[in-house]
Amino acid sequence: MQKISILYDDEKQIFHISNNKISYIMELKENTLLHRYWGHTLQYYTGCNCTEPVKRTFAASYNQQNPLFSLEIEPQEFSCPHQGDYREPSISVRQQNGCTIGRMKYQYYEITDTLHIPEGLPHIREMKQKAAKTLAIHFLDMVSNIKLILYYSIVEDSAVIIRSAQIINQGNQSVWIDRAFSTLIDTNYQKQQLITFYGTHQKEFRINRQEIQHGIFSIGSTRGASSPQYPPFAAICMPETTEHSGEVYAFQLIYSGNHCVSVERNQYNHLRVAMGINPEDFCWKLLPNESFQTPQAILIYSNMGLNGMSQEFHKLYTERLFPTQWAKQKRPILLNSWEMCYFDVSEQKMIDVIKQAAKIGFELVVLDDGWFGHRNNSKSSLGDWTVNTEKFPNGLTTLLKCAEENGIQFGIWFEPEMISPNSILMKSHSDWYMQMDGYTPLLSRNQLVLDLTQKEVQNYIIETLSNFIKQYPISYIKWDMNRHITDPNSLYLSQDSKGEFFHRYMLGLYHILQELTTQFPNILFENCSSGGGRFDAGMGFFMPQTWCSDNTDALDRQAIQYGASYLFPLSAITAHISAVPNHQTGRNVPFATRAAVASSANMGYELNILELSSEEKELIMTHLSEYKKEREFLFYGEFYRLCSPFTDGNCAWMIIDQEKTRAIIYYFIREYDVSALSYILKIPYVDCQKNYVEKNTNRYFTGEELIYAGIAINTIKGDFPVIILELNEKK
Ligand code: DGJ
C-alpha cells in the first residue's frame, strides 16, 4: 500500500484520500461535492453508507431532471446560501446587485505532491523526509464568475486532513465575501457528543462535553484574538469515547483571530460541523482578479480515544507546525522576573538575580514588564521600547555582559501590539491606534491596540524590535498581548473595506512575526496573552512555546494543563514554579506538587530567588539538576492523561518513552477524601508484553496487570499531595 494516496474513480466519481491511518471520501453528484466518509482507513469504498434519495416535502430540487436530489438532505463539503440547503452555509458571497452567488458547479480537480500553503497565513509545513499530497477541487458560479477551490491535504503517517478554501473573483465586478469558512462536514447524528473549551484569564482550557441537541450550537470569538473564552477547537465523539478508547473527530483552526465553530443538528438528524473565520464583523471586498484564502483547518481522527487524538496533534505540531529549528530543541530553564519584581525592576536587582540564578542552575533569566519608557505600572509607555535609564543606567549592556560572564542567557518581555495613551509614541502617532470616528476608544489595562492593518505600523514594530535585538543580543523574547480589541477600525480603511479590519489585523500580525522570526531564527519566542489568551496553532507556527496561564497555582494548573494537553505537546506549554502562598489563589501547594506540575510541561521558575532560605535554595538546586537529567525524556516522551480533574476528582498523567521501557506517572490528589482507602489506576499505555519495576517502592508489576487490573494508589492526608511512580522495564 502507498504511504499516502489520492485517487479519483472516474466512473463512480469518488475521491478517496487515504494513508495508513485514515480515509476521507467524497462523491461528485449533480456537479456538487458530497461528503461520504471520514474515519479509519478503508482499502475500498463501495458506497455502503449512502442513503437512497427520498422525497422530502419542502425540499428544493437542485436539478429538474433529478427532482429527488436536494441540497437540503445531501451531506456536503461546503454550502452556499439560498440553494435549498437551510443549514448554516460555509461560503457566502454577495454581488454588486445584492444577490448572493451560489450555483457553484464542479469544474475539475488537481492533485499535487505538495502541501497547499496559504499565503500570509500560518500553516502545516512540508517535511523533506515525509510525503504529502493535496487535492484541489475547483467550482465555478457561471453567473458571477466567482471560483471556489477546496483544498484537502494529507501527509504521511498522521491521521490528519488539512482543509482550506480559496475564493477567486474571475468576474469584472467587485463582490463581498460575507462568510468564508475553512471546513464543513455533514454526517448523520448518532448520539455523538461535542467537546469544546471554555475559560477565562487564569482559568484557561476548561473542558466542556455535552449532548448535541437539535438546533445550532456555536462557540467563537469576536475579541480579535482566539481567546481563552472559546479557543478554536471542537471534537465530536461517541458517548462511550473515553481518554483511552473510542472514536473522536477533532477540528482545530490554524488562526489566532476571530473564529467560529458551529455545530448543527437539523430536523433529519443530520449533523453539520463548520469552522472558520467568524462571519460576525467580517466582510471582505474582492476586486476582479483578486483571491481570498481562508486559514487552514486541521481535522484529526482517532479511534483510540482522546489520548489518541492528542498524540496526533502533538506529533503533527511538533513535526510540522512549530518553527522547525525549535521543535525538537532542548529549551532553557528560565527564571522570569514578573512574580519576583512585578514592575519594580532595576539593573542592580537583575545583576543579583543573574548571578544567583546562574549559581542555582538556571539557564535563562527573563526581564519581564517594567524595563522600558517610564513604566512603573500598567499606565504608561507601551510603544516606547527604549530602556529606562533610571532603572538601567547602562541600558542592557551591563546585564548582558553579566549574563555572559555567568554563563547564562538573557531574554526580555515585549508587548508590541499595544500603545499607552501616556507614551511618546502616542504624541507622534495619534492615528496609529484603533479608533472609530467620533468615539473615544475604550481602554483595557490602560492601553490601546495599534492598528496593525497599517503598513507603517507593521514596519515600526519590525524595525523597533530588529534594532533592539541588533543592539542587545538577547536569546529570548516573551511576546505578550494583554487586552482584547474594541473600536475595531483603521482610519485608513475605506468605507466598503471596514469589514476586513479584524482579518487584516491578523495578516499584519502574522507578517510582523514572519519577518522577525525569519530574521532572528535563534531567538526563542514565547507566546503570551495574559497567559493562554491566544494559545492557538496560529501563534504556534511562529513561537514554539506559550505561557499557558497567569495562574501559577499548581492545583489550578493541573486542570489548565490537562486541557491544553488535548492539543499541545508538553514542549509547547510553559509552566513555572512560583512562591507560596500563591499570588493568584493564596493556596499553599507543597513544593513537590508544584515541581511535578511544572516538570510535566516546559518548566521554569517565577519567584524571588534573592530571598530564599538556604534549604529552599538547596531544594531548587536539587530539583533543577534532577530535571536536567530528565528533561529530554519528559519533553519528547509520549504524554497520556490517565485521570481527569474535571470528571474523576483526582488528576493523573504519564510520560512514557516510545519503546515503552520507562514511564513516569504523576498522580495528584486534589482533595483528601476521608472515605477513600485507595484509588485504582489503570495504565493502558505500557507494553502488555513487558514487566515493570516501580523505582521508589521496588514493586514488580506485569504490563498486563498495569493495563487491565490497575494498581492501587494509597491516599495521602494533607493538602494537594502528588504521588510519583517511576516504572522501569524489568528484563
Ligand atoms: C501578562 C503576562 O501573562 C504576565 O506573565 C506578565 O508578563 C504580565 N503580562 C506583564 O505585564
Side-chain angles (χ1 to χ4, degrees):
M1 192 192 169
Q2 277 182 297
K3 285 178 178 166
I4 51 174
S5 82
I6 299 182
L7 300 174
Y8 179 63
D9 181 331
D10 220 356
E11 196 186 322
K12 293 186 176 148
Q13 300 200 303
I14 296 270
F15 292 104
H16 188 156
I17 307 172
S18 67
N19 64 15
N20 58 337
K21 293 186 168 174
I22 49 162
S23 279
Y24 191 98
I25 299 174
M26 298 170 285
E27 180 182 351
L28 283 171
K29 205 166 179 183
E30 297 296 343
N31 286 318
T32 69
L33 185 66
L34 306 184
H35 179 78
R36 288 305 184 204
Y37 175 81
W38 169 29
H40 191 277
T41 312
L42 299 179
Q43 298 300 326
Y44 191 71
Y45 175 73
T46 60
C48 54
N49 59 352
C50 292
T51 39
E52 289 291 316
V54 224
K55 182 177 179 323
R56 299 280 186 188
T57 306
F58 298 129
S61 333
Y62 200 62
N63 172 1
Q64 287 311 313
Q65 315 306 315
N66 184 4
L68 286 187
F69 183 87
S70 170
L71 294 183
E72 171 147 25
I73 49 176
E74 295 297 343
Q76 295 173 76
E77 285 286 317
F78 73 95
S79 168
C80 294
H82 314 139
Q83 304 303 310
D85 174 9
Y86 298 96
R87 293 165 286 185
E88 272 219 273
S90 60
I91 304 286
S92 184
V93 181
R94 231 174 338 110
Q95 304 174 70
Q96 261 182 19
N97 62 11
C99 295
T100 50
I101 61 123
R103 272 335 113 82
M104 280 286 182
K105 302 276 187 196
Y106 167 74
Q107 283 204 302
Y108 60 93
Y109 72 89
E110 293 162 303
I111 296 172
T112 52
D113 287 334
T114 51
L115 288 177
H116 168 66
I117 306 293
E119 207 191 317
L121 289 165
H123 54 83
I124 294 300
R125 298 173 199 269
E126 293 277 6
M127 268 176 94
K128 278 200 193 98
Q129 320 82 301
K130 289 195 181 178
K133 276 184 190 289
T134 298
L135 167 67
I137 312 181
H138 295 240
F139 302 85
L140 183 69
D141 176 272
M142 309 279 195
V143 175
S144 62
N145 260 319
I146 298 298
K147 181 173 199 167
L148 171 70
I149 311 177
L150 297 185
Y151 295 100
Y152 299 83
S153 297
I154 186 154
V155 299
E156 191 183 319
D157 204 25
S158 260
V160 65
I161 296 286
I162 305 144
R163 283 192 59 174
S164 70
Q166 194 178 10
I167 299 168
I168 302 168
N169 186 352
Q170 298 183 342
N172 48 23
Q173 291 193 322
S174 298
V175 293
W176 285 265
I177 305 172
D178 291 323
R179 182 182 289 242
F181 277 173
S182 304
T183 185
L184 174 147
I185 290 256
D186 284 341
T187 183
N188 286 330
Y189 172 70
Q190 285 170 318
K191 301 218 171 358
Q192 295 97 323
Q193 296 179 340
L194 170 67
I195 302 176
T196 52
F197 293 119
Y198 71 96
T200 184
H201 178 227
Q202 298 189 358
K203 200 172 173 181
E204 295 85 352
F205 291 109
R206 314 297 295 183
I207 295 165
N208 191 27
R209 182 166 174 167
Q210 59 183 306
E211 305 295 325
I212 301 172
Q213 307 290 352
H214 282 284
I216 300 175
F217 175 85
S218 83
I219 56 152
S221 168
T222 50
R223 295 165 178 271
S226 51
S227 89
Q229 278 73 19
Y230 302 110
F233 163 79
I236 302 289
C237 63
M238 299 311 291
E240 64 275 11
T241 298
T242 66
E243 284 286 8
H244 317 304
S245 65
E247 293 195 291
V248 187
Y249 300 82
F251 302 79
Q252 199 191 18
L253 206 60
I254 308 190
Y255 194 58
S256 317
N258 290 351
H259 64 90
C260 164
V261 185
S262 145
V263 178
E264 178 169 6
R265 178 177 157 201
N266 77 357
Q267 71 278 24
Y268 301 125
N269 268 328
H270 291 158
L271 190 61
R272 168 166 290 182
V273 182
M275 176 183 250
I277 293 178
N278 200 327
E280 181 78 37
D281 284 322
F282 173 82
C283 176
W284 192 275
K285 184 179 178 186
L286 201 63
L287 300 172
N289 297 320
E290 278 187 352
S291 72
F292 180 84
Q293 169 67 52
T294 72
Q296 287 183 336
I298 301 295
L299 279 66
I300 295 247
Y301 167 76
S302 156
N303 60 0
M304 290 186 286
L306 292 157
N307 271 315
M309 168 196 80
S310 300
Q311 287 303 310
E312 290 293 335
F313 273 117
H314 296 179
K315 183 166 169 301
L316 182 76
Y317 288 173
T318 304
E319 287 184 347
R320 291 181 179 266
L321 179 78
F322 301 138
T324 322
Q325 73 278 24
W326 283 107
K328 295 230 159 171
Q329 176 77 263
K330 193 167 78 176
R331 308 293 162 77
I333 305 172
L334 68 79
L335 173 74
N336 180 293
S337 68
W338 183 240
E339 285 195 19
M340 175 171 18
C341 314
Y342 293 102
F343 293 99
D344 190 15
V345 287
S346 69
E347 183 174 283
Q348 193 49 54
K349 216 186 249 182
M350 290 312 290
I351 286 177
D352 294 345
V353 166
I354 290 170
K355 288 183 179 162
Q356 176 78 300
K359 274 191 210 138
I360 294 180
F362 288 100
E363 296 163 335
L364 164 69
V365 166
V366 176
L367 175 56
D368 208 285
D369 202 348
W371 59 266
F372 53 93
H374 300 286
R375 182 95 165 161
N376 296 316
N377 51 44
S378 66
K379 293 195 177 135
S380 86
S381 303
L382 294 172
D384 300 345
W385 301 111
T386 45
V387 181
N388 178 332
T389 45
E390 276 167 35
K391 294 181 180 182
F392 299 93
N394 304 298
L396 295 184
T397 313
T398 311
L399 291 186
L400 280 159
K401 193 159 167 271
C402 173
E404 199 185 343
E405 282 165 5
N406 285 276
I408 196 166
Q409 297 175 41
F410 188 77
I412 205 155
W413 177 96
F414 278 100
E415 196 179 357
E417 296 157 75
M418 298 295 153
I419 180 166
S420 302
N422 178 9
S423 65
I424 299 169
L425 186 68
M426 181 60 94
K427 291 199 182 90
S428 49
H429 291 291
S430 58
D431 56 339
W432 273 15
Y433 62 89
M434 298 181 186
Q435 51 196 293
M436 304 211 290
D437 310 349
Y439 296 90
T440 308
L442 299 179
L443 292 173
S444 173
R445 208 197 190 207
N446 307 302
Q447 63 201 49
L448 296 169
V449 191
L450 284 171
D451 171 11
L452 299 196
T453 69
Q454 292 183 43
K455 206 73 207 150
E456 235 190 312
V457 179
Q458 296 169 18
N459 290 340
Y460 162 78
I461 296 177
I462 296 167
E463 273 161 34
T464 309
L465 265 72
S466 324
N467 291 339
F468 187 95
I469 299 166
K470 283 175 198 153
Q471 184 180 2
Y472 298 120
I474 47 178
S475 311
Y476 161 107
I477 286 179
K478 177 172 171 188
W479 186 292
D480 208 347
M481 195 254 194
N482 287 309
R483 65 159 292 178
H484 287 150
I485 289 175
T486 58
D487 307 277
N489 183 44
S490 168
L491 296 179
Y492 300 101
L493 269 183
S494 65
Q495 197 192 338
D496 55 357
S497 292
K498 294 289 190 202
E500 298 168 17
F501 180 79
F502 275 109
H503 185 57
R504 284 196 183 277
Y505 180 87
M506 288 321 304
L507 294 176
L509 175 62
Y510 289 148
H511 168 69
I512 295 168
L513 291 172
Q514 181 64 36
E515 289 292 311
L516 288 170
T517 53
T518 314
Q519 225 188 110
F520 303 103
N522 297 328
I523 292 190
L524 173 60
F525 282 81
E526 177 158 343
N527 173 40
C528 174
S529 173
S530 295
R534 198 168 54 183
F535 192 171
D536 57 62
M539 297 307 279
F541 181 76
F542 304 99
M543 312 199 203
Q545 60 188 54
T546 296
W547 178 228
C548 180
S549 179
D550 271 354
N551 188 338
T552 58
D553 174 296
L555 188 76
D556 284 354
R557 271 288 185 135
Q558 287 161 24
I560 295 167
Q561 291 174 211
Y562 191 97
S565 78
Y566 264 35
L567 304 173
F568 298 106
L570 302 190
S571 65
I573 304 171
T574 59
H576 297 172
I577 296 174
S578 62
V580 283
N582 179 269
H583 291 195
Q584 291 80 42
T585 64
R587 244 183 235 128
N588 281 291
V589 176
F591 182 80
T593 305
R594 283 181 282 149
V597 170
S599 304
S600 36
N602 183 337
M603 199 276 294
Y605 273 68
E606 187 157 341
L607 45 73
N608 194 345
I609 58 160
L610 301 178
E611 285 177 3
L612 296 175
S613 66
S614 46
E615 294 80 52
E616 285 169 326
K617 211 184 294 169
E618 201 53 44
L619 194 66
I620 297 178
M621 283 171 97
T622 312
H623 175 235
L624 290 190
S625 73
E626 278 168 8
Y627 178 77
K628 282 177 192 167
K629 285 185 222 142
E630 292 295 356
R631 172 163 41 179
E632 266 165 52
F633 168 79
L634 294 172
F635 245 57
Y636 302 118
E638 292 175 358
F639 175 85
Y640 293 99
R641 296 170 300 271
L642 298 176
C643 209
S644 163
F646 298 99
T647 52
D648 301 328
N650 291 333
C651 172
W653 53 57
M654 73 186 280
I655 295 146
I656 186 164
D657 62 350
Q658 278 182 352
E659 296 72 36
K660 305 206 180 291
T661 61
R662 180 163 184 247
I664 297 186
I665 294 152
Y666 297 97
Y667 192 98
F668 301 102
I669 298 182
R670 292 174 63 77
E671 197 178 11
Y672 180 71
D673 177 351
V674 284
S675 67
L677 299 172
S678 67
Y679 305 99
I680 302 296
L681 183 69
K682 293 188 182 176
I683 308 169
Y685 303 101
V686 295
D687 186 337
C688 79
Q689 308 292 338
K690 292 189 165 85
N691 300 317
Y692 297 88
V693 172
E694 201 285 310
K695 190 178 166 198
N696 303 314
T697 55
N698 222 12
R699 284 171 73 193
Y700 168 88
F701 307 101
T702 68
E704 209 176 42
E705 274 181 307
L706 293 168
I707 296 170
Y708 298 110
I711 47 178
I713 306 274
N714 291 331
T715 182
I716 304 181
K717 281 188 186 168
D719 280 341
F720 327 117
V722 61
I723 295 162
I724 303 176
L725 306 173
E726 184 182 326
L727 299 172
N728 290 302
E729 186 190 0
K730 182 160 172 57
K731 293 247 165 100

